[in-house]
Amino acid sequence: MFEQPDFIKYLNILSKNCPDNVVCHCIAVSAYAYDFTKTLKCSHNLDLDIIILGGLLHDIGRCKSHDINHGIIGAGILKDMGLLKIANIAETHIGAGITLEESKLLNLPLKNYIPVTLEEKIIANVDNLIFGTKRVSIDEVVLKFKKRECSEDVIKRILKLYNELDNLRI
């Protein structure tokens, strides 16, 4: 994972701009995304560099906000850096994505923020399965979202994403 040519470069940028707990979380997500991708039947069709860097940079927007808009802020930062595919990962990583209707309710720019590519889906799923730096079960994820009083639609979407990716495992 650390052999990815730009990993250290972007880790340094992340470290200079985000709190240590965010940096540690991002490293944990990147490592889990790498491990998770290696268990997929279709791993040879995936851009592992994008997955590694997407995991590392998915929360870069937390340098400016710890609100739900951090994904959008992060996408803007990453677009400015020329990292368009990773910007899409940052923008779609929250939960299992945010629908157009939900974006309106959340006062976000009106858009569908649902992950589309397999790389985007992997980061969203793995991010759900990491609390801080600890890998957790899908049951713990569901419990967390229920405690946050998220809608059944949000929880169903998280489970659907988890199951979709779990079905691709070797």
Side-chain angles (χ1 to χ4, degrees), residues 39-86:
T39 70
L40 299 178
K41 297 174 209 167
C42 59
S43 63
H44 61 282
N45 292 329
L46 294 169
D47 189 331
L48 191 56
D49 289 340
I50 292 294
I51 291 168
I52 291 167
L53 293 179
L56 181 67
L57 297 171
H58 77 282
D59 269 346
I60 196 167
R62 290 193 180 274
C63 69
K64 295 185 178 179
S65 173
H66 288 282
D67 201 353
I68 197 152
N69 67 347
H70 76 274
I72 297 163
I73 292 169
I77 293 167
L78 294 165
K79 285 176 186 171
D80 289 346
M81 294 169 67
L83 301 171
L84 300 181
K85 289 181 181 178
I86 298 170

Side-chain angles (χ1 to χ4, degrees), residues 6-168:
D6 293 323
F7 187 88
I8 300 301
K9 171 184 167 183
Y10 292 120
L11 176 59
N12 286 332
I13 291 169
L14 189 69
S15 297
K16 287 177 185 166
N17 293 291
C18 291
D20 290 347
N21 65 315
V22 172
V23 175
C24 291
H25 168 74
C26 289
I27 292 168
V29 169
S30 184
Y32 195 9
Y34 175 85
D35 292 345
F36 184 87
T37 300
K38 292 296 186 176
T39 70
L40 299 178
K41 297 174 209 167
C42 59
S43 63
H44 61 282
N45 292 329
L46 294 169
D47 189 331
L48 191 56
D49 289 340
I50 292 294
I51 291 168
I52 291 167
L53 293 179
L56 181 67
L57 297 171
H58 77 282
D59 269 346
I60 196 167
R62 290 193 180 274
C63 69
K64 295 185 178 179
S65 173
H66 288 282
D67 201 353
I68 197 152
N69 67 347
H70 76 274
I72 297 163
I73 292 169
I77 293 167
L78 294 165
K79 285 176 186 171
D80 289 346
M81 294 169 67
L83 301 171
L84 300 181
K85 289 181 181 178
I86 298 170
N88 291 338
I89 287 172
E91 196 170 64
T92 62
H93 83 275
I94 297 170
I98 297 169
T99 66
L100 175 65
E101 298 79 21
E102 290 165 345
S103 72
K104 185 175 183 178
L105 294 171
L106 295 167
N107 294 316
L108 298 173
L110 294 181
K111 186 175 175 181
N112 185 349
Y113 299 96
I114 300 293
V116 176
T117 69
L118 205 45
E119 290 86 354
E120 292 167 7
K121 291 177 180 183
I122 288 168
I123 299 305
N125 184 58
V126 168
D127 185 44
N128 288 336
L129 294 167
I130 298 271
F131 291 3
T133 58
K134 180 183 172 204
R135 295 179 185 188
V136 298
S137 71
I138 190 62
D139 293 334
E140 291 170 281
V141 172
V142 169
L143 185 59
K144 176 178 95 171
F145 279 87
K146 283 183 178 180
K147 284 181 180 176
R148 290 182 178 172
E149 298 182 2
C150 290
S151 73
E152 277 301 311
D153 288 342
V154 168
I155 293 168
K156 285 178 185 174
R157 196 164 50 246
I158 289 167
L159 286 168
K160 181 181 176 192
L161 177 62
Y162 174 84
N163 289 326
E164 175 187 341
L165 294 174
D166 196 46
N167 286 332
L168 296 177

